[in-house]
Amino acid sequence: MDVSVLINIGAVIVSILALVTSALLARNQFKAQRHGNHVGPLVELLKEFRSLEFHRNYAFIRNELPKLSSDLGISGLDEEVQRKIYDIGYFFQLYSILAHLDVIDREFIGSLLRRRYVEAWAALEPFVRKERELQGLPGSSILNILEHFAVDLRDHPPTDMQVVLRR
């Protein structure tokens, strides 16, 4: 075999190895960047979860709100109850949006907070639906992304959290 052919074959092999190495490095960099995007929102999530007010509001939504009449929607409720509804509802909607936009990992946040999403939406749903009806709003308004995310979590449970943590 001619020396120039061997040199050309060697050059092709080196080029292929360089391409594969670059692709692997790019993939790892992308993963690292993506995980870096999760840090800010997760820190905020943990701050909120450390708040006694958050837990009291969540407990109210889960336990007490279903005992109230939804006939007048959200706007027909006492101002303090409305505040709790919007605080909890839009908190969960924010993380639903971040998961939808791939800012945070959907499977991670779904595994971590599945029960809370499902419980919160179950309590909020009659009030939200009635509010949409009273205001003449389409189904795609007022906590719509929360609704979609919570229903999806309810109907398609994500991977067990222990599996997610082992990755």
Side-chain angles (χ1 to χ4, degrees):
M1 204 181 268
D2 191 322
V3 173
S4 64
V5 172
L6 290 175
I7 291 173
N8 286 336
I9 290 173
V12 169
I13 290 172
V14 168
S15 296
I16 290 171
L17 288 174
L19 178 64
V20 169
T21 302
S22 294
L24 290 173
L25 289 173
R27 186 185 70 144
N28 288 341
Q29 183 64 30
F30 178 74
K31 280 184 174 179
Q33 180 182 2
R34 194 158 182 216
H35 288 300
N37 288 343
H38 299 213
V39 173
L42 288 175
V43 167
E44 288 301 314
L45 171 75
L46 292 173
K47 270 193 215 175
E48 189 70 25
F49 260 65
R50 289 184 1 223
S51 157
L52 180 59
E53 182 181 5
F54 175 84
H55 287 283
R56 285 182 176 162
N57 288 346
Y58 176 78
F60 177 86
I61 295 301
R62 185 189 64 218
N63 300 326
E64 302 304 320
L65 187 64
K67 297 175 185 174
L68 302 177
S69 172
S70 63
D71 292 344
L72 299 175
I74 297 169
S75 57
L77 296 168
D78 174 84
E79 188 175 302
E80 187 60 30
V81 174
Q82 290 181 47
R83 184 175 293 108
K84 290 175 184 184
I85 288 173
Y86 288 124
D87 283 350
I88 296 301
Y90 281 102
F91 171 83
F92 285 114
Q93 176 148 303
L94 168 65
Y95 285 92
S96 302
I97 291 168
L98 293 175
H100 179 74
L101 295 174
D102 286 332
V103 173
I104 58 175
D105 184 63
R106 181 208 179 282
E107 192 170 18
F108 179 79
I109 204 74
S111 297
L112 183 65
L113 298 174
R114 178 183 184 276
R115 180 182 57 83
R116 288 182 182 259
Y117 267 99
V118 171
E119 288 175 350
W121 179 248
L124 293 170
E125 182 177 17
F127 295 90
V128 170
R129 291 197 185 283
K130 188 63 174 183
E131 188 69 19
R132 290 173 184 168
E133 178 187 320
L134 293 171
Q135 292 187 26
L137 298 170
S140 62
S141 55
I142 303 180
L143 300 173
N144 56 331
I145 298 178
L146 166 60
E147 175 183 12
H148 176 75
F149 195 71
V151 168
D152 189 52
L153 286 174
R154 182 193 67 208
D155 295 344
H156 306 96
T159 305
D160 180 76
M161 192 61 184
Q162 295 306 313
V163 173
V164 171
L165 290 174
R166 278 187 243 136
R167 292 184 190 163

